Amino acid sequence: MLGASFLPRRLRTADSQKPPSSPGYLNRQITPVLQSLSQRACTHPIHTIVFVALLASTTYIGLLEGSLFDNGSLSGSASRRTDLASLVEGGKRLKVGEGTAWKWQVDSGGIENIDTAAEHIAIMTFVFPDSSSNNSPQTAPLADAIPIPANSSAHPLPSTLNPLSAISQDTTVAFSVPFEEASSFLDAVQEIPVMAGAFGGDRSDSIQKRSWVMKAGRSSGNGSQNALRGWASNAWTEFVDLLKNAESLDIIIMVLGYLSMHLTFVSLFLSMRRMGSNFWLATTVLFSSVFAFLFGLIVTTKLGVPISMVLLSEGLPFLVITIGFEKPIILTQAVLSASLSSRRQASLAGTASSHHESSPKTIQYAVQNAVKERGFEIVRDYCIEIAILTAGAASGVQGGLRQFCFLAAWILVFDCVLLFTFYTAILSIKLEINRIKRHVALRRALEDDGVSRRVAENVASANEWPRYGASDDVLTDGAVSGERVVFGKKVGDSSVPKFKVLMVTGFVLINVLNLCTIPFRSGNKNAAPPTVSGLSNVLTPPPMDPFKVAENGLDIIYIAAKERRSTTIVTVLPPIKYELPSPNSHLDLGETGGSMFDVEYTDQILDVVGGRVIEGVLKSLEDPVLSKWILVALTMSLVLNGYLYNAARWSIKEPGTAREPAAQPSAEQVADIIGHAQHIETERAEIHATKAEHDKVRTREECEQLLRDRKAPQLNDKELIDLSVRGKIPGYALEKTLESPLTTKLASLTRAVKIRRAVVSRTAATKETSTLLEGSKLPYEDYNYENVHGACCENVIGYMPLPLGVAGPLVIDGRNYFLPMATTEGVLVASTSRGCKAINAGGGATTVLTGDGMTRGPCVGFQTLARAGAAKIWLDSDEGQKEMKRAFNSTSRFARLQSMKTALAGTYLYIRFKTTTGDAMGMNMISKGVECALNVMMTESGFEDMSIISVSGNYCTDKKPAAINWIDGRGKSVVAEAIIPGDVVRSVLKSDVNALVELNTSKNLIGSAMAGSIGGFNAHAANIVTAVFLATGQDPAQNVESSNCITIMRNYNGNLQISVSMPCIEVGTIGGGTVLEPQSAMLDLLGVRGAHPTNPGDNARQLARIVAAGVLAGELSLCSALAAGHLVNAHMAHNRSAAPTRSSTPVSAALMAAPNRSQAHAGLSMAPLRR
């Protein structure tokens, strides 16, 4: 609709939330300002946080010293005395007489309109808290002990109990006083002496010096230090009074309001948790809201708008419910979406770009992009809400609604400013810490798996934040996807706004019901219905009910007035509170507690935000709340700086980070820079001189001398090849020998590969077969050997390109995947794609992971069978299991020992360790843990005579067919299933359900059993497993056990039900070949690259599910081709028929007839013998 853009985001429909095609005028003007503000906050986050915290602390001190938390209104003895006018304003005036038909009626006229002929009486009720309990140390005075002026006609009335008297344990005393004597009577009872002997004989002398004092007549004592305590006490007292005088329906409304507010807090934490932050971001939002509340409160009070604690306690819950925390959530989503979008855009830029260009942008860039995308919408929502509140503040509604709207508008103004400064600063720090944590965790996981530190650091740098696994429901197209379970029910993204709309609607309906039921509410039998608006009760203190305060006294006055037949006006004053101060308290002296920081400043420049900055900061050190806040802040700062310092030690740098303009260097720095530049120029001159000398050939002695002087990189390729061929440079040491600070690591590694190719080609022993390698088409350039060296391969001479195709997409557990397959077998990818198409037609594949545990089976030996048997019994016992788990788990943060299976063969004991390994395949990780556990068993558990024969005793069993793997499983155990409709079998697979079932039984089950196969009850599972393994960097040799599979088909109501059970899928998403860039790109294609950010092991488990589903598609398609007789025809059509055979061409026949090089050489060497 046309005006949808002017509604807050949570009230707009999905169609109206689509971004406009081009930004409007206001958007173009406001967005750069927001970007500049957030950029400064993110560039200097620590400064921003400290400044805002300091400002909030100063504001807090200003509030403590201001009027909001003061126990009285003004200082000075005169102003501390209770004011009768304010009591009358808060009281209720009733009238009874002939004109009211002898029924109490509320007299709403002014004091000047009172009938002078009528008798005017004031009822005063004195409340002495905590004085009715038997164990109370203070006792309320009796009515006759209260000092009454000699000329006063005041007399006591029976007090009226309230329903909360049993809880509050208050004592009340009521007096009837002629209204004209009320002021003098009130002055006389400002202090009431404590009864003598009330606390016991020994202490009566000291107690007599103490007095009950009206709360309005007591000074603040120690100033700001006790202001918060006094405010809390008064707030509790006002809350109890509120409960005493409020209607039941109003109490229910407030309870629902507070309950909804806390549910809003829960919703905030759940939303942030969906985005990866369990605590900090949601807590930061709350801190930002509290700071905005403090700033808004100080501005409101400084502008002279009265704010009471009752007004805040009643209004804030409904402000939280209606405004909520959508804006920080939207900004956080936008930041994460911007980070993901920048990575996708960099990936789409193409492979021609350099490594740093294709890496993800900085976190500050993500924040800027998010502010650009969502900043204007957020500010627009703020402006709309502020405009509505401003209209409420400017309205003529009486009560506290105007004041609260004024306060709420200022709160939203500061909340908007803090969102783009304070919150963005903490958000950037949080994301940076998460990036560092992920970097360190991935590097440590790779090191645990046996990868060298340098390669692990390179892989971790290439796998920078943000990363999203396939099973993550964090971000999809810029929005948070997935659902949350709250109280047993799934709550989607749109549930929270709907919930708030329902709460606001219910709030309005309840108040409408409140208004409609006013005439029917029960009250005093002689009282007329009150004429107070129920809607105003929500945001203003409810009007005092005179019958709840002085019902018994009104009954006596009513009876007396009716007997005298005289009109009587009764002013029921609010209950007057007393307290019993400590003996060292001072009353009306105007004295405050001294402080070492009580300094008067006359410089008006320092007067800011509710108090003097320096004085406020110094006094904050004495405040009981702020002192702890400062201690917590310093502790967190120390922890954060320590963590960042440790991260800096590992030289973790974010790629592509834009550096700030450097400051002007000093004279010393300039001199150092010039000296360093001169040194570099000298080295360059030497290099140029060396290059100039290349034209003249060095002697072998000169080359060897340069090699000994560690200047081998200065030699040319010909000289290096000669040294290596003569054995002066070992072939395996070329990479280390050619390392130079003047060239990049990648350049030196590539040069080493080039030199090695030439050395292999010129090696005399293999010259007959390896001569062509140096000029062959085996590529070696444009490859990142940094991830290869020390991790994947040695003696590198290039890399082997393989054709890579994708099958699918295939729906796996409700999600689409393309299956990367590296293979040289024609039709394999096409066949698998056909199986994917048939499976998708039936709704996709369903997978179940039944086990996850990699194994290692060492062999240990003993001198006698008895000792071997004792070791087996100990390992099988609870004590042995516990001790071995403790030792094994201490070696890695990811490897966790699940179980041990033992077997005896003579004096040899075989132990099969089964462990989880996180997202790594984990053989190296397990081997390290096994060695540690066996050493602990041998040295600490009484088996010193044990000898470790081999850390791998083939009881694992690794890379060999074994029944134990087929039975117990190894790696990930997955079962995949699909149901193919019968018409799809006929139209897509060109076969029949019954024919497929019969073929599977006869071929895969009976045929494999006849062959004595172990785990080979399938058609060609190894084809798909190997192709996916090669594409994703898995160990291809582990295809032996990973291809263990049994395929089952059956007729399911005319449809084909097919399943594959694979108990030994051995895969990982970190370590091994996954560190290579092409292979890691394929893991990216599947959404499982690297370690899972929140639940280690989920990425590897998801990859195993994908492999099993791919095998399911391959099995279905091949069996269909066999059943239809299409297999040979398909291979001939796709691979063989178009290409002529080798023997059918003249060139191939000539080549076959001619002798090859080795035969010719042998013939030449034999010629003299034949002659």
Side-chain angles (χ1 to χ4, degrees):
M1 58 181 178
L2 183 61
S5 60
F6 295 101
L7 294 175
R9 180 184 177 88
R10 62 183 177 282
L11 299 179
R12 299 198 297 267
T13 60
D15 295 335
S16 62
Q17 293 183 16
K18 295 180 180 179
S21 56
S22 61
Y25 174 77
L26 289 178
N27 193 341
R28 294 194 301 270
Q29 299 300 318
I30 294 176
T31 300
V33 177
L34 297 177
Q35 286 184 303
S36 177
L37 194 65
S38 61
Q39 181 182 10
R40 285 172 171 78
C42 294
T43 305
H44 308 285
I46 302 298
H47 301 76
T48 303
I49 297 170
V50 170
F51 176 76
V52 173
L54 181 63
L55 205 61
S57 303
T58 307
T59 304
Y60 170 77
I61 294 296
L63 288 174
L64 290 183
E65 296 177 346
S67 61
L68 182 66
F69 295 141
D70 282 351
N71 295 332
S73 58
L74 295 170
S75 61
S77 59
S79 61
R80 291 293 180 181
R81 308 192 71 82
T82 305
D83 185 13
L84 178 63
S86 61
L87 291 175
V88 172
E89 183 180 354
K92 186 69 67 176
R93 191 164 59 246
L94 302 176
K95 183 177 181 180
V96 67
E98 295 286 350
T100 63
W102 295 106
K103 290 187 177 181
W104 290 109
Q105 287 188 356
V106 178
D107 187 5
S108 58
I111 191 70
E112 65 278 358
N113 298 326
I114 295 179
D115 186 4
T116 56
E119 182 181 8
H120 193 182
I121 301 173
I123 296 180
M124 297 184 182
T125 303
F126 304 143
V127 180
F128 303 92
D130 299 328
S131 58
S132 61
S133 174
N134 294 330
N135 299 325
S136 176
Q138 50 197 34
T139 303
L142 301 177
D144 53 4
I146 295 178
I148 299 176
N151 58 350
S152 177
S153 57
H155 61 275
L157 294 174
S159 59
T160 301
L161 299 177
N162 62 76
L164 297 178
S165 296
I167 301 175
S168 60
Q169 298 178 351
D170 297 345
T171 302
T172 57
V173 178
F175 281 89
S176 173
V177 185
F179 191 81
E180 59 273 9
E181 302 176 6
S183 181
S184 59
F185 181 79
L186 196 61
D187 292 339
V189 295
Q190 292 288 327
E191 298 182 30
I192 301 176
V194 176
M195 297 170 54
F199 293 88
D202 295 338
R203 300 176 55 194
S204 60
D205 293 339
S206 62
I207 296 299
Q208 287 177 358
K209 298 179 182 179
R210 301 175 64 185
S211 300
W212 289 95
V213 183
M214 281 189 187
K215 279 201 170 182
R218 187 181 180 192
S219 176
S220 59
N222 291 330
S224 63
Q225 292 186 5
N226 290 334
L228 184 60
R229 186 179 305 170
W231 164 78
S233 176
N234 291 337
W236 171 252
T237 303
E238 292 179 3
F239 176 72
V240 174
D241 292 341
L242 183 66
L243 292 180
K244 293 177 182 177
N245 299 318
E247 296 289 342
S248 300
L249 189 57
D250 294 333
I251 296 176
I252 294 175
I253 293 174
M254 291 308 304
V255 170
L256 290 177
Y258 273 93
L259 179 62
S260 303
M261 180 180 70
H262 286 84
L263 288 179
T264 305
F265 294 152
V266 172
S267 173
L268 169 65
F269 277 87
L270 289 179
S271 299
M272 292 301 183
R273 187 177 181 183
R274 281 202 300 270
M275 290 182 284
S277 175
N278 294 331
F279 175 77
W280 286 110
L281 289 185
T283 305
T284 300
V285 172
L286 295 182
F287 267 110
S288 178
S289 301
V290 170
F291 290 165
F293 168 72
L294 290 176
F295 297 151
L297 195 59
I298 194 67
V299 171
T300 303
T301 54
K302 291 299 179 181
L303 292 177
V305 178
I307 299 294
S308 67
M309 298 311 302
V310 175
L311 182 67
L312 293 178
S313 63
E314 293 187 353
L316 283 179
F318 296 97
L319 178 66
V320 172
I321 295 169
T322 53
I323 302 302
F325 302 105
E326 279 87 3
K327 300 174 189 67
I329 295 174
I330 292 171
L331 183 61
T332 307
Q333 292 177 1
V335 171
L336 299 180
S337 300
S339 302
L340 184 60
S341 299
S342 64
R343 186 176 184 90
R344 287 175 175 172
Q345 292 172 3
S347 299
L348 294 175
T351 58
S353 60
S354 62
H355 182 266
H356 69 275
E357 291 174 346
S358 62
S359 60
K361 301 296 179 69
T362 64
I363 294 172
Q364 287 80 5
Y365 171 83
V367 173
Q368 290 293 295
N369 197 14
V371 172
K372 180 181 178 181
E373 294 293 330
R374 298 295 185 187
F376 176 74
E377 295 181 8
I378 294 174
V379 172
R380 180 183 59 191
D381 289 353
Y382 271 118
C383 292
I384 294 172
E385 293 162 352
I386 292 172
I388 295 173
L389 292 172
T390 304
S395 65
V397 179
Q398 298 297 324
L401 182 60
R402 298 175 60 189
Q403 292 87 340
F404 184 78
C405 288
F406 188 81
L407 170 64
W410 278 110
I411 291 175
L412 290 185
V413 169
F414 287 109
D415 191 55
C416 180
V417 175
L418 291 177
L419 176 64
F420 292 101
T421 54
F422 178 75
Y423 180 72
T424 53
I426 292 187
L427 179 61
S428 62
I429 291 177
K430 171 65 177 173
L431 297 180
E432 181 68 18
I433 291 175
N434 284 352
R435 186 187 69 83
I436 294 174
K437 288 172 62 178
R438 178 178 177 81
H439 183 109
V440 174
L442 180 57
R443 177 176 53 77
R444 289 180 178 175
L446 291 171
E447 290 176 356
D448 289 343
D449 198 42
V451 179
S452 66
R453 186 182 191 83
R454 181 185 54 78
V455 175
E457 180 68 26
N458 292 336
V459 174
S461 299
N463 197 34
E464 288 289 357
W465 179 94
R467 296 298 314 154
Y468 299 87
S471 59
D472 293 348
D473 56 350
V474 179
L475 286 173
T476 303
D477 296 333
V480 175
S481 61
E483 296 179 332
R484 277 285 168 189
V485 179
V486 182
F487 305 130
K489 183 179 179 180
K490 290 184 177 180
V491 180
D493 297 331
S494 59
S495 301
V496 174
K498 292 179 181 178
F499 168 75
K500 293 186 176 181
V501 171
L502 292 176
M503 287 304 305
V504 174
T505 306
F507 164 70
V508 175
L509 291 178
I510 289 177
N511 280 278
V512 171
L513 179 64
N514 190 9
L515 289 171
C516 296
T517 57
I518 284 176
F520 307 102
R521 296 183 186 176
S522 60
N524 188 279
K525 60 183 178 180
N526 297 321
T531 59
V532 182
S533 172
L535 186 60
S536 64
N537 290 348
V538 179
L539 294 179
T540 61
M544 183 194 68
D545 189 347
F547 298 100
K548 287 186 177 182
V549 175
E551 182 179 5
N552 295 337
L554 288 174
D555 288 343
I556 293 178
I557 294 175
Y558 174 82
I559 295 173
K562 196 169 185 179
E563 288 178 353
R564 297 193 306 268
R565 311 297 295 179
S566 62
T567 301
T568 304
I569 298 176
V570 180
T571 299
V572 182
L573 301 179
I576 301 173
K577 297 284 185 176
Y578 281 81
E579 64 179 349
L580 191 64
S582 58
N584 57 355
S585 297
H586 304 283
L587 301 175
D588 299 330
L589 298 177
E591 298 178 359
T592 59
S595 171
M596 62 180 293
F597 299 127
D598 288 341
V599 182
E600 291 295 331
Y601 292 94
T602 58
D603 191 354
Q604 297 300 319
I605 299 178
L606 297 179
D607 245 346
V608 293
V609 195
R612 300 166 180 85
V613 174
I614 299 178
E615 184 180 6
V617 172
L618 294 178
K619 286 188 175 182
S620 66
L621 299 178
E622 290 186 342
D623 185 82
V625 176
L626 271 185
S627 60
K628 296 180 177 60
W629 158 254
I630 293 173
L631 180 62
V632 172
L634 290 176
T635 304
M636 292 180 60
S637 176
L638 181 62
V639 173
L640 177 61
N641 281 280
Y643 188 88
L644 295 177
Y645 172 74
N646 288 331
R649 290 174 54 197
W650 303 116
S651 300
I652 299 177
K653 299 178 181 179
E654 185 173 11
T657 304
R659 296 185 178 179
E660 297 182 6
Q664 292 296 330
S666 61
E668 293 79 2
Q669 292 174 333
V670 171
D672 293 340
I673 293 174
I674 294 175
H676 183 65
Q678 291 176 350
H679 176 69
I680 293 177
E681 290 298 328
T682 302
E683 290 184 348
R684 289 180 177 175
E686 292 178 357
I687 294 175
H688 288 305
T690 303
K691 290 182 177 179
E693 293 177 359
H694 282 184
D695 295 336
K696 61 177 182 179
V697 180
R698 295 188 183 91
T699 64
R700 288 185 173 183
E701 289 75 14
E702 292 176 339
C703 294
E704 293 175 5
Q705 184 59 41
L706 287 175
L707 179 62
R708 288 191 292 270
D709 294 340
R710 299 184 182 276
K711 295 182 179 180
Q714 299 180 10
L715 299 172
N716 58 35
D717 292 349
K718 184 178 179 181
E719 293 166 342
L720 288 171
I721 294 171
D722 179 69
L723 288 173
S724 184
V725 170
R726 293 191 293 116
K728 301 300 180 179
I729 303 178
Y732 62 84
L734 282 173
E735 286 81 3
K736 185 177 181 180
T737 304
L738 295 179
E739 286 183 358
S740 172
L742 301 178
T743 58
T744 63
K745 180 74 173 179
L746 180 58
S748 62
L749 291 176
T750 305
R751 189 184 183 194
V753 172
K754 178 182 178 182
I755 299 299
R756 184 177 290 110
R757 291 162 64 97
V759 171
V760 172
S761 297
R762 301 176 189 186
T763 300
T766 60
K767 190 174 183 179
E768 296 178 0
T769 56
S770 60
T771 303
L772 300 178
L773 175 62
E774 186 176 5
S776 68
K777 293 185 178 181
L778 176 70
Y780 73 93
E781 296 176 323
D782 301 323
Y783 194 78
N784 187 6
Y785 292 103
E786 294 185 52
N787 293 340
V788 177
H789 180 60
C792 298
C793 187
E794 299 78 31
N795 293 333
V796 181
I797 59 173
Y799 57 93
M800 182 62 67
L802 279 175
L804 179 66
V806 289
L810 175 61
V811 178
I812 305 172
D813 298 323
R815 194 164 184 171
N816 282 283
Y817 294 91
F818 276 106
L819 307 180
M821 302 175 67
T823 181
T824 56
E825 180 181 351
V827 192
L828 179 60
V829 177
S831 175
T832 307
S833 293
R834 185 178 73 148
C836 294
K837 179 180 179 181
I839 292 174
N840 292 342
T846 303
T847 64
V848 174
L849 191 137
T850 60
D852 182 7
M854 183 54 65
T855 62
R856 174 62 85 193
C859 173
V860 297
F862 293 88
Q863 294 296 325
T864 63
L865 179 60
R867 289 295 292 164
K872 175 178 170 57
I873 294 174
W874 182 82
L875 287 171
D876 293 339
S877 66
D878 293 339
E879 178 188 358
Q881 296 274 339
K882 182 179 180 181
E883 185 66 21
M884 296 293 277
K885 283 184 179 180
R886 181 192 62 79
F888 186 95
N889 295 345
S890 66
T891 60
S892 172
R893 298 183 302 119
F894 301 99
R896 292 294 178 265
L897 181 58
Q898 294 177 331
S899 62
M900 291 185 298
K901 183 175 183 178
T902 58
L904 267 178
T907 57
Y908 295 111
L909 177 62
Y910 296 87
I911 312 167
R912 194 171 194 255
F913 290 76
K914 191 171 187 178
T915 76
T916 59
T917 57
D919 284 303
M921 188 272 292
M923 289 305 301
N924 296 328
M925 191 185 302
I926 297 178
S927 298
K928 184 170 62 175
V930 167
E931 286 183 345
C932 178
L934 293 179
N935 288 330
V936 169
M937 177 181 175
M938 186 167 52
T939 59
E940 301 179 11
S941 303
F943 295 99
E944 294 81 0
D945 57 337
M946 181 182 77
S947 60
I948 301 176
I949 306 300
S950 174
V951 75
S952 176
N954 279 3
Y955 194 52
C956 314
T957 297
D958 186 36
K959 301 181 178 70
K960 292 169 282 292
I964 192 170
N965 289 341
W966 175 245
I967 297 170
D968 288 345
R970 188 170 193 259
K972 277 68 176 173
S973 302
V974 183
V975 180
E977 179 206 50
I979 297 178
I980 318 300
D983 57 338
V984 175
V985 174
R986 290 185 292 272
S987 61
V988 176
L989 302 177
K990 312 300 182 183
S991 185
D992 180 74
V993 173
N994 292 327
L996 283 174
V997 172
E998 183 181 3
L999 181 138
N1000 181 73
T1001 303
S1002 59
K1003 168 184 167 60
N1004 293 338
L1005 303 184
I1006 300 176
S1008 297
M1010 292 293 293
S1013 176
I1014 298 177
F1017 301 92
N1018 56 81
H1020 71 147
N1023 257 337
I1024 289 84
V1025 171
T1026 304
V1028 175
F1029 272 28
L1030 291 173
T1032 58
Q1034 311 304 312
D1035 189 345
Q1038 289 184 324
N1039 166 67
V1040 175
E1041 60 267 38
S1042 296
S1043 298
N1044 283 350
C1045 171
I1046 180 171
T1047 303
I1048 298 176
M1049 300 184 189
R1050 69 188 187 98
N1051 190 321
Y1052 183 75
N1053 298 328
N1055 303 319
L1056 177 66
Q1057 184 183 47
I1058 179 174
S1059 66
V1060 292
S1061 301
M1062 307 180 69
C1064 311
I1065 303 179
E1066 299 169 0
V1067 292
T1069 57
I1070 60 174
T1074 64
V1075 304
L1076 303 178
E1077 292 176 348
Q1079 285 79 353
S1080 63
M1082 293 303 97
L1083 292 175
D1084 246 340
L1085 175 69
L1086 298 173
V1088 294
R1089 178 184 175 186
H1092 194 275
T1094 57
N1095 192 13
D1098 275 4
N1099 279 354
R1101 287 187 282 268
Q1102 183 63 26
L1103 179 58
R1105 294 173 184 267
I1106 294 172
V1107 171
V1111 170
L1112 182 71
E1115 290 288 285
L1116 177 63
S1117 182
L1118 178 58
C1119 289
S1120 300
L1122 290 172
H1126 297 161
L1127 177 63
V1128 177
N1129 294 334
H1131 275 275
M1132 293 300 298
H1134 285 81
N1135 300 290
R1136 301 293 184 263
S1137 59
T1141 61
R1142 186 176 179 87
S1143 59
S1144 63
T1145 63
V1147 176
S1148 62
L1151 288 175
M1152 293 182 65
N1156 58 28
R1157 185 185 301 270
S1158 59
Q1159 291 172 339
H1161 180 75
L1164 290 175
S1165 61
M1166 293 293 292
L1169 295 178
R1170 284 196 291 267
R1171 284 197 301 267

